[in-house]
Amino acid sequence: MFEELLHAWDGEEVALRFDAASNAWMFVCVHSTVLGPGMGGVRLQRYATPHDALADGLRLAGAMTLKQAAADLPFGGGKAVLAVPDIPRGADRAALFSRYADLVNAMGGTYVTAADMNTGQADMDLVGERTAHVLGRSPERGGSGDPAPSTARGVFHGIVATARRRFGSSDLAGKRALVQGVGAVGFPLAEHLHEAGASVILADPNAERVSALAERLGGTLVAPVDVVGTECEIFAPCATGGILSAETIPKLRCSVVAGAANNQLAAEGADELVRDAGILYAPDFVINAGGVIHLAGYETLGWDEGKMASRLESIGDTLDEVFDAADRDGVTTDAAARRMARSRLDAAG
């Protein structure tokens, strides 16, 4: 069932377990350990098939390699997926994460786990009871807590840099910024954009949450199905990936795409379609690196808050390098960012 996916993958290692007690599949995908152990979050999600879950893990692990390299961190790329029939709660959830921790521990340090979609620091606290190969535990348990606010801060700095390149000014006052998904990252990002003077447009399936935020920020609501095609200067995808496709790109009515979602480009060639549409794209694995910077900096590199603030702000500087390289070499911004990441991998390898 999985052979075709694994043979086509360019990564190093996959550990899998069928967890009979929960009827869940566990996949731990280590794409690269060239720069250090593969580090990435564990995603807890329902999938149509285990095949889809593994494909998601393999793709996300590869993106994590690029993210860690672009951020110049001492980690490689990894990702874990727990494909569950239903999102567990209470004792069932605790038992599942204990067994997941045992799988991580059995990998001997080639993979370091953290939180991701539908997981958080409470889950990492449970994992930390059974393995040392975990980041993002609560401060009470010796961790650095939720990295989502750092991701949001880094994306904000990236938006400022991208706006400066596209519009000739860092001033966001009066710019319409559409935030798709106001969860753990999109929520604080919308606040940062509002504080910078942008006019925020918000979309999220959780009507109560998004309405309350829109009222507090004086923002505008748009239905999730109407996100593509809504007029704005800045589009910040902060939900699931694959938003930029051959179908959606011609419908976009924005000048900039710069958001936190992983794997925003749905297929090969989508980056060229974005460029040809006259839209400046901030590569997702560059602009959304604030979370891994937070985890690595606070928990392994000993940074203080001043150093962390400086490194998050430097995401904008990295994007400037990417934009310069894209212009110089006549390639897309995504291609330029990938070249940058791979040059660091080649130098280390």
Side-chain angles (χ1 to χ4, degrees):
M1 179 168 56
F2 305 132
E3 288 89 343
E4 183 178 349
L5 286 174
L6 294 173
H7 283 303
W9 192 49
D10 63 347
E12 295 180 6
E13 178 182 15
V14 175
L16 62 88
R17 168 179 174 171
F18 176 69
D19 189 59
S22 63
N23 200 32
W25 283 91
M26 300 180 183
F27 300 102
V28 180
C29 308
V30 177
H31 181 262
S32 172
T33 57
V34 170
L35 297 176
M39 188 260 276
V42 52
R43 179 164 293 196
L44 181 68
Q45 193 170 332
R46 297 176 64 183
Y47 290 88
T49 67
H51 183 278
D52 293 335
L54 176 58
D56 201 23
L58 299 179
R59 182 174 61 251
L60 291 165
M64 288 301 300
T65 295
L66 296 174
K67 182 183 299 189
Q68 304 281 7
D72 202 17
L73 295 173
F75 285 99
K79 206 75 173 183
V81 171
L82 304 185
V84 293
D86 295 290
I87 303 297
R89 309 291 178 192
D92 289 340
R93 185 183 184 102
L96 175 65
F97 275 95
S98 291
R99 295 189 293 271
Y100 166 68
D102 290 340
L103 179 59
V104 171
N105 202 51
M107 298 184 71
T110 58
Y111 172 68
V112 178
T113 192
D116 193 72
M117 185 178 292
N118 294 322
T119 61
Q121 58 183 319
D123 301 309
M124 297 307 101
D125 285 346
L126 286 168
V127 171
E129 294 176 0
R130 303 179 76 92
T131 181
H133 308 302
V134 57
L135 299 175
R137 290 174 293 171
S138 66
E140 296 78 14
R141 299 291 186 90
S144 60
D146 183 6
S150 292
T151 303
R153 174 60 69 178
V155 171
F156 172 73
H157 288 306
I159 287 175
V160 170
T162 309
R164 181 172 60 245
R165 181 61 61 111
R166 182 65 176 81
F167 306 117
S169 171
S170 301
D171 188 1
L172 300 183
K175 294 288 190 294
R176 295 168 296 178
L178 169 56
V179 181
Q180 179 194 33
V182 293
V185 175
F187 193 106
L189 175 61
E191 293 179 317
H192 294 322
L193 291 167
H194 171 72
E195 291 167 2
S199 176
V200 295
I201 307 169
L202 307 174
D204 193 281
N206 188 321
E208 182 178 354
R209 177 175 60 198
V210 73
S211 296
L213 181 60
E215 182 176 357
R216 184 161 66 81
L217 301 183
T220 303
L221 292 176
V222 62
V225 295
D226 296 327
V227 164
V228 175
T230 295
E231 291 192 13
C232 58
E233 281 72 46
I234 300 162
F235 174 36
C238 297
T240 55
I243 186 65
L244 302 176
S245 67
E247 179 182 358
T248 62
I249 292 167
K251 300 175 184 177
L252 292 174
R253 297 295 179 265
C254 61
S255 300
V256 163
V257 174
N262 288 312
N263 295 328
Q264 294 172 30
L265 299 170
E268 186 175 350
D271 56 328
E272 296 178 355
L273 294 178
V274 173
R275 179 194 58 189
D276 294 345
I279 298 169
L280 182 58
Y281 171 60
D284 49 41
F285 60 87
V286 176
I287 195 172
N288 68 10
V292 293
I293 291 172
H294 170 108
L295 294 171
Y298 281 140
E299 299 194 32
T300 67
L301 300 174
W303 294 349
D304 59 18
E305 291 193 10
K307 175 67 172 179
M308 181 59 66
S310 175
R311 284 293 276 109
L312 293 175
E313 188 173 357
S314 73
I315 287 175
D317 299 331
T318 302
L319 282 170
D320 283 335
E321 293 180 38
V322 168
F323 298 148
D324 286 342
D327 289 343
R328 181 186 65 244
D329 300 336
V331 298
T332 68
T333 57
D334 185 71
R338 289 173 183 272
R339 287 182 182 180
M340 173 188 291
R342 286 171 179 151
S343 68
R344 291 174 180 171
L345 290 165
D346 291 343

